[in-house]
Short mmCIF file of all heavy atoms in Angstrom, two decimals:
data_model
loop_
_atom_site.label_atom_id
_atom_site.label_comp_id
_atom_site.label_asym_id
_atom_site.label_seq_id
_atom_site.Cartn_x
_atom_site.Cartn_y
_atom_site.Cartn_z
N MET A 8 62.56 148.05 178.37
CA MET A 8 63.96 147.91 178.69
C MET A 8 64.75 149.15 178.19
O MET A 8 64.51 149.55 177.07
CB MET A 8 64.56 146.68 178.03
CG MET A 8 64.22 145.41 178.71
SD MET A 8 65.10 144.04 177.90
CE MET A 8 63.88 142.81 178.07
N SER A 9 65.60 149.65 178.99
CA SER A 9 66.41 150.77 178.53
C SER A 9 67.68 150.26 177.93
O SER A 9 68.31 149.29 178.37
CB SER A 9 66.74 151.68 179.75
OG SER A 9 67.55 151.04 180.65
N LYS A 10 68.09 150.95 176.88
CA LYS A 10 69.31 150.61 176.19
C LYS A 10 70.48 151.15 176.97
O LYS A 10 70.42 152.29 177.46
CB LYS A 10 69.30 151.17 174.75
CG LYS A 10 70.33 150.59 173.89
CD LYS A 10 70.12 151.04 172.45
CE LYS A 10 71.14 150.31 171.57
NZ LYS A 10 70.91 150.67 170.18
N LYS A 11 71.54 150.38 177.07
CA LYS A 11 72.74 150.81 177.79
C LYS A 11 73.33 152.05 177.11
O LYS A 11 73.45 152.09 175.90
CB LYS A 11 73.78 149.65 177.77
CG LYS A 11 74.84 149.82 178.78
CD LYS A 11 75.74 148.56 178.74
CE LYS A 11 76.70 148.60 179.91
NZ LYS A 11 77.53 147.42 179.85
N LYS A 12 73.63 153.07 177.87
CA LYS A 12 74.16 154.31 177.33
C LYS A 12 75.58 154.08 176.84
O LYS A 12 76.43 153.59 177.61
CB LYS A 12 74.14 155.43 178.36
CG LYS A 12 74.47 156.77 177.83
CD LYS A 12 74.24 157.84 178.84
CE LYS A 12 74.53 159.17 178.18
NZ LYS A 12 74.32 160.25 179.16
N GLU A 13 75.83 154.36 175.55
CA GLU A 13 77.19 154.22 175.00
C GLU A 13 78.06 155.37 175.41
O GLU A 13 77.66 156.50 175.36
CB GLU A 13 77.06 154.12 173.48
CG GLU A 13 76.21 153.02 172.94
CD GLU A 13 76.99 151.84 172.48
OE1 GLU A 13 78.21 151.97 172.33
OE2 GLU A 13 76.37 150.79 172.29
N LYS A 14 79.30 155.04 175.81
CA LYS A 14 80.23 156.09 176.11
C LYS A 14 81.00 156.46 174.88
O LYS A 14 81.28 155.61 173.99
CB LYS A 14 81.21 155.68 177.22
CG LYS A 14 82.05 154.47 176.94
CD LYS A 14 83.00 154.18 178.04
CE LYS A 14 83.92 152.97 177.67
NZ LYS A 14 84.89 152.68 178.64
N LYS A 15 81.30 157.72 174.71
CA LYS A 15 82.06 158.16 173.54
C LYS A 15 83.51 157.76 173.69
O LYS A 15 84.09 157.81 174.75
CB LYS A 15 81.99 159.73 173.46
CG LYS A 15 80.61 160.23 173.20
CD LYS A 15 80.29 159.99 171.69
CE LYS A 15 78.89 160.48 171.41
NZ LYS A 15 78.46 160.11 170.11
N ILE A 16 84.08 157.33 172.59
CA ILE A 16 85.43 156.91 172.48
C ILE A 16 86.35 158.08 172.13
O ILE A 16 86.06 158.69 171.07
CB ILE A 16 85.61 155.73 171.49
CG1 ILE A 16 84.72 154.56 171.83
CG2 ILE A 16 87.10 155.30 171.40
CD1 ILE A 16 85.02 153.92 173.16
N ASP A 17 87.29 158.34 172.94
CA ASP A 17 88.28 159.44 172.63
C ASP A 17 89.51 158.74 171.97
O ASP A 17 90.31 158.16 172.68
CB ASP A 17 88.70 160.18 173.90
CG ASP A 17 89.65 161.30 173.61
OD1 ASP A 17 89.94 161.60 172.41
OD2 ASP A 17 90.11 161.89 174.58
N LEU A 18 89.58 158.75 170.65
CA LEU A 18 90.64 158.07 169.91
C LEU A 18 92.02 158.63 170.22
O LEU A 18 93.01 157.97 169.88
CB LEU A 18 90.34 158.11 168.42
CG LEU A 18 89.09 157.38 167.97
CD1 LEU A 18 88.81 157.59 166.50
CD2 LEU A 18 89.17 155.90 168.31
N LYS A 19 92.09 159.81 170.82
CA LYS A 19 93.40 160.43 171.13
C LYS A 19 93.97 159.87 172.44
O LYS A 19 95.12 159.88 172.66
CB LYS A 19 93.21 161.93 171.23
CG LYS A 19 92.64 162.56 170.00
CD LYS A 19 93.69 162.91 168.98
CE LYS A 19 93.07 163.74 167.86
NZ LYS A 19 93.42 163.31 166.58
N ASN A 20 93.11 159.42 173.33
CA ASN A 20 93.54 159.00 174.66
C ASN A 20 93.21 157.51 174.91
O ASN A 20 92.39 157.20 175.77
CB ASN A 20 92.87 159.82 175.78
CG ASN A 20 93.27 161.30 175.66
OD1 ASN A 20 94.46 161.59 175.45
ND2 ASN A 20 92.32 162.16 175.80
N LEU A 21 93.87 156.66 174.16
CA LEU A 21 93.65 155.22 174.34
C LEU A 21 94.99 154.55 174.76
O LEU A 21 96.07 155.10 174.44
CB LEU A 21 93.20 154.57 173.00
CG LEU A 21 91.85 154.97 172.47
CD1 LEU A 21 91.63 154.40 171.07
CD2 LEU A 21 90.76 154.49 173.41
N GLU A 22 94.88 153.41 175.42
CA GLU A 22 96.08 152.60 175.69
C GLU A 22 96.65 152.14 174.35
O GLU A 22 95.86 151.96 173.41
CB GLU A 22 95.64 151.40 176.53
CG GLU A 22 95.15 151.77 177.93
CD GLU A 22 96.20 152.37 178.79
OE1 GLU A 22 97.36 151.93 178.80
OE2 GLU A 22 95.85 153.35 179.50
N PRO A 23 97.95 151.96 174.26
CA PRO A 23 98.54 151.55 172.96
C PRO A 23 97.88 150.32 172.33
O PRO A 23 97.69 150.33 171.17
CB PRO A 23 99.98 151.23 173.38
CG PRO A 23 100.23 152.05 174.60
CD PRO A 23 98.93 152.10 175.32
N GLU A 24 97.56 149.33 173.12
CA GLU A 24 96.96 148.10 172.56
C GLU A 24 95.59 148.42 172.04
O GLU A 24 95.20 147.93 170.96
CB GLU A 24 96.95 147.00 173.64
CG GLU A 24 96.48 145.69 173.04
CD GLU A 24 96.76 144.52 174.00
OE1 GLU A 24 97.72 144.58 174.73
OE2 GLU A 24 95.94 143.63 174.00
N GLU A 25 94.84 149.18 172.76
CA GLU A 25 93.49 149.54 172.32
C GLU A 25 93.54 150.41 171.08
O GLU A 25 92.75 150.25 170.12
CB GLU A 25 92.75 150.24 173.47
CG GLU A 25 91.32 150.41 173.27
CD GLU A 25 90.52 149.14 173.51
OE1 GLU A 25 91.07 148.14 173.94
OE2 GLU A 25 89.34 149.13 173.20
N LYS A 26 94.52 151.33 171.06
CA LYS A 26 94.71 152.18 169.87
C LYS A 26 95.00 151.39 168.63
O LYS A 26 94.49 151.65 167.54
CB LYS A 26 95.80 153.20 170.15
CG LYS A 26 96.00 154.23 169.08
CD LYS A 26 97.09 155.20 169.44
CE LYS A 26 97.23 156.23 168.36
NZ LYS A 26 98.31 157.18 168.59
N LEU A 27 95.82 150.38 168.80
CA LEU A 27 96.19 149.50 167.63
C LEU A 27 94.94 148.80 167.08
O LEU A 27 94.78 148.76 165.88
CB LEU A 27 97.23 148.46 168.11
CG LEU A 27 97.73 147.47 167.06
CD1 LEU A 27 98.34 148.24 165.88
CD2 LEU A 27 98.69 146.51 167.67
N LYS A 28 94.08 148.38 167.97
CA LYS A 28 92.83 147.75 167.54
C LYS A 28 91.95 148.70 166.68
O LYS A 28 91.43 148.26 165.62
CB LYS A 28 92.04 147.29 168.82
CG LYS A 28 91.04 146.22 168.58
CD LYS A 28 90.58 145.57 169.89
CE LYS A 28 89.73 146.41 170.73
NZ LYS A 28 89.09 145.71 171.78
N TYR A 29 91.84 149.91 167.14
CA TYR A 29 91.04 150.89 166.34
C TYR A 29 91.74 151.22 165.01
O TYR A 29 91.09 151.44 164.02
CB TYR A 29 90.84 152.13 167.16
CG TYR A 29 89.75 152.01 168.20
CD1 TYR A 29 90.00 151.64 169.54
CD2 TYR A 29 88.40 152.22 167.83
CE1 TYR A 29 88.98 151.52 170.43
CE2 TYR A 29 87.41 152.10 168.80
CZ TYR A 29 87.69 151.72 170.03
OH TYR A 29 86.67 151.55 170.97
N GLU A 30 93.08 151.31 165.04
CA GLU A 30 93.80 151.57 163.82
C GLU A 30 93.56 150.49 162.78
O GLU A 30 93.39 150.75 161.59
CB GLU A 30 95.28 151.68 164.07
CG GLU A 30 95.64 152.98 164.81
CD GLU A 30 97.12 153.05 165.26
OE1 GLU A 30 97.90 152.05 165.04
OE2 GLU A 30 97.52 154.07 165.86
N VAL A 31 93.61 149.25 163.20
CA VAL A 31 93.39 148.09 162.28
C VAL A 31 91.92 148.12 161.79
O VAL A 31 91.69 147.93 160.60
CB VAL A 31 93.72 146.77 162.97
CG1 VAL A 31 93.27 145.59 162.10
CG2 VAL A 31 95.20 146.66 163.29
N ALA A 32 90.97 148.43 162.66
CA ALA A 32 89.58 148.53 162.24
C ALA A 32 89.48 149.64 161.16
O ALA A 32 88.74 149.41 160.15
CB ALA A 32 88.66 148.85 163.40
N GLU A 33 90.20 150.70 161.31
CA GLU A 33 90.18 151.76 160.33
C GLU A 33 90.74 151.31 159.00
O GLU A 33 90.19 151.60 157.93
CB GLU A 33 90.92 153.00 160.84
CG GLU A 33 90.88 154.18 159.87
CD GLU A 33 91.53 155.41 160.45
OE1 GLU A 33 92.48 155.27 161.26
OE2 GLU A 33 91.11 156.52 160.07
N GLU A 34 91.87 150.62 159.06
CA GLU A 34 92.54 150.09 157.83
C GLU A 34 91.56 149.15 157.07
O GLU A 34 91.61 149.15 155.84
CB GLU A 34 93.76 149.23 158.21
CG GLU A 34 94.94 150.05 158.70
CD GLU A 34 96.13 149.23 159.20
OE1 GLU A 34 96.15 148.04 158.91
OE2 GLU A 34 96.99 149.78 159.91
N LEU A 35 90.75 148.43 157.81
CA LEU A 35 89.82 147.48 157.15
C LEU A 35 88.50 148.16 156.77
O LEU A 35 87.58 147.50 156.26
CB LEU A 35 89.56 146.31 158.07
CG LEU A 35 90.74 145.38 158.34
CD1 LEU A 35 90.36 144.35 159.40
CD2 LEU A 35 91.33 144.82 157.14
N GLY A 36 88.33 149.43 157.06
CA GLY A 36 87.14 150.13 156.72
C GLY A 36 85.98 149.91 157.64
O GLY A 36 84.81 150.08 157.27
N LEU A 37 86.28 149.52 158.85
CA LEU A 37 85.23 149.12 159.82
C LEU A 37 85.12 150.15 160.98
O LEU A 37 84.19 149.99 161.81
CB LEU A 37 85.56 147.73 160.43
CG LEU A 37 85.64 146.60 159.42
CD1 LEU A 37 86.21 145.32 160.07
CD2 LEU A 37 84.31 146.33 158.79
N LEU A 38 85.90 151.13 160.98
CA LEU A 38 85.91 152.05 162.12
C LEU A 38 84.62 152.80 162.34
O LEU A 38 84.12 152.93 163.42
CB LEU A 38 87.09 153.06 162.03
CG LEU A 38 87.28 154.00 163.20
CD1 LEU A 38 87.52 153.21 164.43
CD2 LEU A 38 88.35 154.94 162.95
N ASP A 39 84.02 153.26 161.22
CA ASP A 39 82.77 153.99 161.35
C ASP A 39 81.73 153.14 162.01
O ASP A 39 80.94 153.63 162.87
CB ASP A 39 82.26 154.43 159.99
CG ASP A 39 83.16 155.57 159.40
OD1 ASP A 39 83.89 156.22 160.18
OD2 ASP A 39 83.12 155.72 158.14
N ARG A 40 81.64 151.88 161.62
CA ARG A 40 80.64 150.99 162.23
C ARG A 40 80.92 150.77 163.71
O ARG A 40 79.97 150.69 164.47
CB ARG A 40 80.60 149.67 161.45
CG ARG A 40 79.27 149.01 161.46
CD ARG A 40 79.07 148.05 160.35
NE ARG A 40 79.58 146.75 160.70
CZ ARG A 40 80.02 145.83 159.90
NH1 ARG A 40 80.02 146.06 158.61
NH2 ARG A 40 80.49 144.73 160.35
N VAL A 41 82.16 150.54 164.02
CA VAL A 41 82.55 150.34 165.45
C VAL A 41 82.18 151.54 166.27
O VAL A 41 81.62 151.42 167.36
CB VAL A 41 84.04 149.99 165.60
CG1 VAL A 41 84.45 149.98 166.99
CG2 VAL A 41 84.34 148.66 164.92
N LEU A 42 82.51 152.73 165.76
CA LEU A 42 82.19 153.94 166.56
C LEU A 42 80.67 154.18 166.66
O LEU A 42 80.18 154.67 167.73
CB LEU A 42 82.84 155.13 165.90
CG LEU A 42 84.37 155.12 165.97
CD1 LEU A 42 84.92 156.37 165.17
CD2 LEU A 42 84.92 155.14 167.35
N ALA A 43 79.90 153.79 165.63
CA ALA A 43 78.50 154.03 165.68
C ALA A 43 77.75 152.94 166.51
O ALA A 43 76.87 153.33 167.30
CB ALA A 43 77.96 154.05 164.24
N ASP A 44 78.11 151.72 166.34
CA ASP A 44 77.37 150.60 166.97
C ASP A 44 78.11 149.73 167.91
O ASP A 44 77.59 148.77 168.41
CB ASP A 44 76.71 149.77 165.86
CG ASP A 44 75.85 150.59 164.90
OD1 ASP A 44 75.13 151.47 165.44
OD2 ASP A 44 75.87 150.30 163.69
N GLY A 45 79.42 149.96 168.12
CA GLY A 45 80.18 149.19 169.02
C GLY A 45 80.82 147.93 168.33
O GLY A 45 80.48 147.61 167.21
N TRP A 46 81.69 147.29 169.07
CA TRP A 46 82.43 146.14 168.55
C TRP A 46 81.45 144.99 168.25
O TRP A 46 81.70 144.18 167.36
CB TRP A 46 83.49 145.72 169.49
CG TRP A 46 84.60 146.66 169.62
CD1 TRP A 46 84.86 147.55 170.61
CD2 TRP A 46 85.67 146.88 168.61
NE1 TRP A 46 86.00 148.30 170.30
CE2 TRP A 46 86.47 147.92 169.17
CE3 TRP A 46 85.97 146.31 167.38
CZ2 TRP A 46 87.63 148.34 168.42
CZ3 TRP A 46 87.08 146.78 166.72
CH2 TRP A 46 87.90 147.79 167.20
N LYS A 47 80.37 144.90 169.00
CA LYS A 47 79.44 143.76 168.79
C LYS A 47 78.67 143.85 167.47
O LYS A 47 78.01 142.91 167.11
CB LYS A 47 78.53 143.62 170.00
CG LYS A 47 77.65 144.81 170.26
CD LYS A 47 76.88 144.64 171.53
CE LYS A 47 76.27 145.96 171.94
NZ LYS A 47 75.74 145.90 173.27
N SER A 48 78.84 144.96 166.77
CA SER A 48 78.18 145.10 165.51
C SER A 48 78.92 144.39 164.37
O SER A 48 78.40 144.21 163.26
CB SER A 48 78.02 146.55 165.11
OG SER A 48 79.22 147.15 164.87
N LEU A 49 80.17 143.94 164.66
CA LEU A 49 80.97 143.29 163.68
C LEU A 49 80.69 141.78 163.68
O LEU A 49 80.30 141.22 164.67
CB LEU A 49 82.47 143.47 163.95
CG LEU A 49 82.91 144.96 163.99
CD1 LEU A 49 84.45 144.99 164.29
CD2 LEU A 49 82.61 145.64 162.69
N THR A 50 80.98 141.12 162.56
CA THR A 50 80.82 139.64 162.49
C THR A 50 82.02 139.02 163.14
O THR A 50 83.02 139.67 163.33
CB THR A 50 80.69 139.21 161.07
OG1 THR A 50 81.95 139.50 160.40
CG2 THR A 50 79.55 139.89 160.32
N SER A 51 81.92 137.72 163.42
CA SER A 51 83.04 137.04 164.03
C SER A 51 84.18 137.01 163.03
O SER A 51 85.38 137.02 163.43
CB SER A 51 82.62 135.62 164.45
OG SER A 51 82.14 134.89 163.39
N LYS A 52 83.89 136.92 161.77
CA LYS A 52 84.93 136.98 160.74
C LYS A 52 85.73 138.29 160.79
O LYS A 52 86.95 138.32 160.69
CB LYS A 52 84.34 136.71 159.34
CG LYS A 52 85.34 136.65 158.24
CD LYS A 52 84.67 136.35 156.93
CE LYS A 52 85.66 136.25 155.80
NZ LYS A 52 85.06 135.92 154.53
N GLU A 53 84.98 139.40 160.94
CA GLU A 53 85.61 140.70 160.92
C GLU A 53 86.43 140.86 162.19
O GLU A 53 87.62 141.38 162.16
CB GLU A 53 84.58 141.81 160.88
CG GLU A 53 83.88 141.87 159.52
CD GLU A 53 82.63 142.68 159.50
OE1 GLU A 53 81.98 142.82 160.54
OE2 GLU A 53 82.28 143.19 158.40
N THR A 54 85.94 140.48 163.36
CA THR A 54 86.73 140.60 164.58
C THR A 54 87.95 139.72 164.61
O THR A 54 89.00 140.05 165.08
CB THR A 54 85.82 140.36 165.84
OG1 THR A 54 85.23 139.09 165.71
CG2 THR A 54 84.78 141.38 166.06
N GLY A 55 87.78 138.52 164.01
CA GLY A 55 88.93 137.59 163.88
C GLY A 55 89.99 138.15 163.02
O GLY A 55 91.21 138.06 163.28
N ARG A 56 89.60 138.84 161.95
CA ARG A 56 90.54 139.46 161.06
C ARG A 56 91.35 140.61 161.74
O ARG A 56 92.49 140.70 161.67
CB ARG A 56 89.79 140.06 159.79
CG ARG A 56 90.67 140.70 158.77
CD ARG A 56 91.23 139.67 157.81
NE ARG A 56 91.93 140.33 156.78
CZ ARG A 56 93.24 140.15 156.56
NH1 ARG A 56 93.92 139.24 157.27
NH2 ARG A 56 93.85 140.78 155.59
N ILE A 57 90.57 141.41 162.54
CA ILE A 57 91.21 142.43 163.29
C ILE A 57 92.21 141.83 164.32
O ILE A 57 93.37 142.29 164.41
CB ILE A 57 90.12 143.30 164.04
CG1 ILE A 57 89.39 144.14 163.03
CG2 ILE A 57 90.81 144.23 165.10
CD1 ILE A 57 88.16 144.81 163.62
N GLY A 58 91.76 140.81 164.99
CA GLY A 58 92.64 140.17 166.00
C GLY A 58 93.90 139.60 165.39
O GLY A 58 95.01 139.71 165.96
N GLY A 59 93.78 138.99 164.19
CA GLY A 59 94.87 138.40 163.53
C GLY A 59 95.93 139.43 163.11
O GLY A 59 97.11 139.25 163.24
N ILE A 60 95.41 140.57 162.62
CA ILE A 60 96.31 141.62 162.14
C ILE A 60 96.97 142.28 163.37
O ILE A 60 98.19 142.62 163.34
CB ILE A 60 95.55 142.67 161.26
CG1 ILE A 60 95.10 142.00 159.94
CG2 ILE A 60 96.43 143.88 161.05
CD1 ILE A 60 94.18 142.87 159.18
N VAL A 61 96.24 142.50 164.43
CA VAL A 61 96.81 143.07 165.68
C VAL A 61 97.96 142.15 166.16
O VAL A 61 99.04 142.64 166.47
CB VAL A 61 95.73 143.28 166.75
CG1 VAL A 61 96.38 143.54 168.10
CG2 VAL A 61 94.83 144.39 166.40
N THR A 62 97.73 140.84 166.19
CA THR A 62 98.71 139.93 166.67
C THR A 62 99.95 139.94 165.79
O THR A 62 101.09 139.96 166.25
CB THR A 62 98.14 138.49 166.70
OG1 THR A 62 97.00 138.46 167.56
CG2 THR A 62 99.12 137.46 167.17
N LYS A 63 99.75 140.00 164.49
CA LYS A 63 100.87 140.04 163.53
C LYS A 63 101.71 141.32 163.81
O LYS A 63 102.93 141.30 163.78
CB LYS A 63 100.33 140.00 162.12
CG LYS A 63 101.38 139.98 161.05
CD LYS A 63 100.78 139.87 159.69
CE LYS A 63 101.87 139.89 158.61
NZ LYS A 63 101.29 139.79 157.23
N LYS A 64 100.99 142.49 163.91
CA LYS A 64 101.74 143.74 164.11
C LYS A 64 102.55 143.71 165.43
O LYS A 64 103.65 144.23 165.49
CB LYS A 64 100.75 144.92 164.10
CG LYS A 64 100.23 145.24 162.73
CD LYS A 64 99.36 146.46 162.69
CE LYS A 64 98.90 146.75 161.30
NZ LYS A 64 98.94 148.11 160.94
N LYS A 65 101.96 143.13 166.53
CA LYS A 65 102.62 143.04 167.73
C LYS A 65 103.87 142.19 167.66
O LYS A 65 104.92 142.46 168.21
CB LYS A 65 101.74 142.48 168.84
CG LYS A 65 100.63 143.44 169.30
CD LYS A 65 99.62 142.67 170.12
CE LYS A 65 99.44 143.16 171.48
NZ LYS A 65 98.44 142.37 172.22
N ARG A 66 103.74 141.06 166.91
CA ARG A 66 104.83 140.14 166.73
C ARG A 66 106.00 140.84 166.01
O ARG A 66 107.16 140.76 166.38
CB ARG A 66 104.37 138.92 165.98
CG ARG A 66 105.24 137.70 166.16
CD ARG A 66 104.74 136.51 165.51
NE ARG A 66 103.38 136.10 166.02
CZ ARG A 66 102.38 135.60 165.28
NH1 ARG A 66 102.49 135.49 164.01
NH2 ARG A 66 101.26 135.28 165.88
N VAL A 67 105.65 141.57 164.95
CA VAL A 67 106.67 142.33 164.17
C VAL A 67 107.34 143.34 165.06
O VAL A 67 108.57 143.49 165.02
CB VAL A 67 106.05 142.98 162.90
CG1 VAL A 67 106.99 143.97 162.30
CG2 VAL A 67 105.62 141.90 161.92
N LYS A 68 106.58 144.09 165.84
CA LYS A 68 107.09 145.10 166.75
C LYS A 68 108.05 144.45 167.76
O LYS A 68 109.11 144.96 168.06
CB LYS A 68 106.00 145.85 167.44
CG LYS A 68 106.49 147.03 168.29
CD LYS A 68 105.33 147.72 168.91
CE LYS A 68 105.72 148.90 169.75
NZ LYS A 68 106.72 148.71 170.75
N ASN A 69 107.67 143.34 168.33
CA ASN A 69 108.50 142.64 169.33
C ASN A 69 109.83 142.18 168.72
O ASN A 69 110.86 142.24 169.39
CB ASN A 69 107.76 141.47 169.94
CG ASN A 69 106.69 141.92 170.89
OD1 ASN A 69 106.70 143.05 171.42
ND2 ASN A 69 105.73 141.04 171.15
N ARG A 70 109.80 141.77 167.49
CA ARG A 70 111.06 141.40 166.83
C ARG A 70 111.96 142.53 166.62
O ARG A 70 113.16 142.44 166.73
CB ARG A 70 110.75 140.72 165.45
CG ARG A 70 110.29 139.30 165.58
CD ARG A 70 110.24 138.66 164.23
NE ARG A 70 109.51 137.39 164.31
CZ ARG A 70 108.60 136.98 163.48
NH1 ARG A 70 108.28 137.74 162.40
NH2 ARG A 70 107.91 135.86 163.63
N GLN A 71 111.36 143.67 166.24
CA GLN A 71 112.20 144.88 166.00
C GLN A 71 112.77 145.44 167.30
O GLN A 71 113.90 145.95 167.35
CB GLN A 71 111.31 145.99 165.36
CG GLN A 71 110.94 145.66 163.90
CD GLN A 71 109.90 146.65 163.34
OE1 GLN A 71 109.34 147.45 164.08
NE2 GLN A 71 109.71 146.53 162.05
N ASP A 72 112.03 145.35 168.39
CA ASP A 72 112.47 145.86 169.71
C ASP A 72 113.49 144.91 170.33
O ASP A 72 114.31 145.34 171.10
CB ASP A 72 111.25 146.02 170.69
CG ASP A 72 110.35 147.17 170.21
OD1 ASP A 72 110.77 147.96 169.35
OD2 ASP A 72 109.22 147.25 170.75
N GLY A 73 113.33 143.62 170.07
CA GLY A 73 114.19 142.64 170.69
C GLY A 73 115.48 142.45 170.09
O GLY A 73 116.53 142.42 170.50
#
């Protein structure tokens, strides 16, 4: 079986929502692992933590914009 070829992530050219996800992963010290092995290398606890922080940041931003 051949392994699926991983595409390189250009951290400079991401959609805002995707960029936020990578920023949170970096804050938690998980970015190196994500870049090396992909998002599936994280545990459900780690991805849940990222999702929770992303949601919180979006909520705060929406309050400031609104």
Side-chain angles (χ1 to χ4, degrees):
M8 281 186 215
S9 66
K10 194 171 185 177
K11 197 175 188 181
K12 189 173 183 181
E13 301 260 346
K14 62 179 182 176
K15 293 287 180 188
I16 302 297
D17 183 6
L18 296 176
K19 306 271 187 226
N20 296 318
L21 293 173
E22 296 293 320
E24 189 167 325
E25 195 74 9
K26 185 177 182 184
L27 182 59
K28 201 164 74 167
Y29 281 95
E30 287 171 359
V31 172
E33 183 176 30
E34 288 173 17
L35 296 176
L37 302 171
L38 184 59
D39 290 338
R40 208 160 85 207
V41 170
L42 293 176
D44 301 322
W46 291 103
K47 59 186 167 190
S48 67
L49 302 180
T50 66
S51 58
K52 184 177 181 178
E53 291 166 335
T54 55
R56 183 84 174 118
I57 290 170
I60 294 171
V61 166
T62 301
K63 184 178 178 181
K64 287 184 179 221
K65 285 167 125 180
R66 203 176 296 140
V67 168
K68 185 180 184 305
N69 286 340
R70 283 192 193 132
Q71 290 172 349
D72 291 346

